[in-house]
Amino acid sequence: MLPNPTLDQLQVFLTVAESGSFSAASRALNRAQSVISYTIANLEAQLEMPLFERSGSRQPRLTDAGRVMLEDARRILSDLQVMRARVKGLKTGLEAEVAVAISVMVPVHATVDVLREFRDRFPYVSLRLDTGELGSMLELVTSGKSTIGIGGSVVKQDDALVIERIGHSFMMPVAAPTHPLALLGRPLTLADVREEVQLVVTDASNLTNGKDFNVLSYKIWHLSDIATKHQLIRGGLGWGGLPASFIMEDLQKGRLVPLALDAYDQSEYPLYAIRKVDNPPGPAAAWMIEAFRSRLARCPNQEDFKSAVEMFHPGDKRLAAE
């Protein structure tokens, strides 16, 4: 018959191994030493192998099999603690999982900070994270696949949604330093950009079909995601707008340069927390919304961002002209 040790037996075994003696385990567990010895003997009988060497030493020493079983015992008892903590959380209303959709417009450092603290505050709450372009985040929330969404692109009002503005971002037109537009060294006109390839992300959702955002060139390359767009712009294959917070390091290190293009709308881009009316957030999701609100309130605005870029590009006429 297969061994079927009890959790109590494993706890006693672990305590003896960690305390170093049967008497120490007796004191730690507040049980008679004879009960400790009896429990270990029964466990060894079930496993059909000795766990401790008792001869030749006053202190019990783990056998080779005992050392292997000790790791299993630790893992099983640790899993039990996780289950107990999760049950306690569920009884108090804490979610088992938070599903969140985050737009690429949300500053990456804010997302990392929030998720790091979420992990520490809610160690037993699972997280499902989706990121998307434009309307993808909103579509995930409206379909019920995500509990909350953090981002922008609220292209239509929906009474079934609760939409709270919690911050802002903005897009910045950029190109590689070797790109023809970057080499002009002056404010750009529509005529300058019309014949240059503009890289544009095509929304995978159905919510923004037929809508063009800051598309100014006649030559357009349509891409599926912003990460590819970022790499192609850095490679000099075209120009386009990228979230300012997404490209700060590239601007500082000269891998990208901002374009002084008045025709490109660089107004602040609102960021929202979005959820369905009939699916209110639990404690963990509600905490996440407020954490994003707090982090996004500290994000630099356009003037702060331009000042930071100017520190690395002193005298750049393109920045002065914006």
Side-chain angles (χ1 to χ4, degrees):
M1 188 175 70
L2 292 174
N4 188 28
T6 66
L7 292 172
D8 182 67
Q9 288 175 329
L10 296 178
Q11 182 63 68
V12 171
F13 169 50
L14 183 62
T15 304
V16 172
E18 292 183 341
S19 65
S21 71
F22 285 75
S23 58
S26 172
R27 292 190 295 272
L29 297 173
N30 195 27
R31 300 187 192 182
Q33 185 170 334
S34 59
V35 173
I36 300 296
S37 299
Y38 179 76
T39 301
I40 294 297
N42 279 343
L43 177 59
E44 290 176 321
Q46 282 204 28
L47 298 176
E48 298 181 343
M49 63 179 65
L51 300 174
F52 294 99
E53 295 178 359
R54 298 173 177 80
S55 60
S57 174
R58 296 182 60 185
Q59 303 297 328
R61 291 183 303 169
L62 286 168
T63 62
D64 290 341
R67 281 188 285 273
V68 174
M69 292 298 103
L70 182 62
E71 294 305 312
D72 289 338
R74 282 199 178 106
R75 186 183 66 255
I76 292 169
L77 293 171
S78 176
D79 288 344
L80 176 63
Q81 293 302 317
V82 170
M83 186 186 75
R84 286 171 173 165
R86 187 165 288 144
V87 168
K88 183 179 179 181
L90 292 171
K91 286 182 177 178
T92 60
L94 192 64
E95 309 96 312
E97 179 184 76
V98 169
V100 57
I102 300 179
S103 165
V104 293
M105 287 297 294
V106 177
V108 174
H109 65 86
T111 299
V112 172
D113 287 347
V114 169
L115 296 185
R116 181 184 293 112
E117 190 172 350
F118 177 88
R119 177 199 62 189
D120 296 339
R121 280 178 173 264
F122 305 101
Y124 304 115
V125 177
S126 297
L127 176 73
R128 188 171 76 243
L129 173 65
D130 286 289
T131 59
E133 324 288 339
L134 302 175
S136 298
M137 177 273 297
L138 187 59
E139 196 168 67
L140 285 165
V141 175
T142 56
S143 68
K145 294 179 180 178
S146 295
T147 308
I148 58 175
I150 306 294
S153 298
V154 180
V155 295
K156 66 176 182 177
Q157 293 301 314
D158 189 335
D159 290 340
L161 297 176
V162 175
I163 301 172
E164 304 173 74
R165 181 167 177 168
I166 59 173
H168 66 268
S169 184
F170 60 95
M171 298 287 282
M172 178 174 283
V174 292
T178 57
H179 191 276
L181 293 177
L183 296 175
L184 289 176
R186 59 170 172 78
L188 303 176
T189 65
L190 273 176
D192 292 324
V193 302
R194 287 300 197 195
E195 298 301 325
E196 295 292 341
V197 172
Q198 181 177 357
L199 304 177
V200 177
V201 170
T202 301
D203 191 4
S205 77
N206 295 318
L207 297 176
T208 55
N209 278 348
K211 296 181 181 293
D212 290 330
F213 302 96
N214 274 324
V215 176
L216 305 177
S217 295
Y218 294 136
K219 299 178 180 179
I220 301 170
W221 286 12
H222 292 281
L223 310 173
S224 64
D225 63 273
I226 206 161
T228 300
K229 179 180 180 180
H230 175 219
Q231 293 302 317
L232 293 186
I233 292 176
R234 277 182 48 173
L237 296 178
W239 73 277
L242 289 168
S245 60
F246 196 82
I247 57 173
M248 182 60 140
E249 184 178 348
D250 287 320
L251 293 169
Q252 292 172 346
K253 294 185 176 180
R255 295 189 292 248
L256 292 173
V257 294
L259 302 176
L261 179 58
D262 286 341
Y264 192 96
D265 182 9
Q266 295 186 59
S267 57
E268 286 188 349
Y269 183 102
L271 295 176
Y272 304 95
I274 304 170
R275 65 173 178 83
K276 295 182 73 174
V277 172
D278 60 1
N279 188 24
W287 175 90
M288 184 178 289
I289 290 172
E290 291 308 309
F292 269 109
R293 189 195 308 275
S294 175
R295 299 309 188 284
L296 294 175
R298 301 197 294 268
C299 288
N301 57 30
Q302 287 169 303
E303 293 305 316
D304 295 333
F305 193 91
K306 288 177 183 177
S307 297
V309 175
E310 285 176 329
M311 291 175 59
F312 293 87
H313 299 275
D316 192 324
K317 294 179 181 180
R318 287 177 295 252
L319 286 169
E322 289 182 353

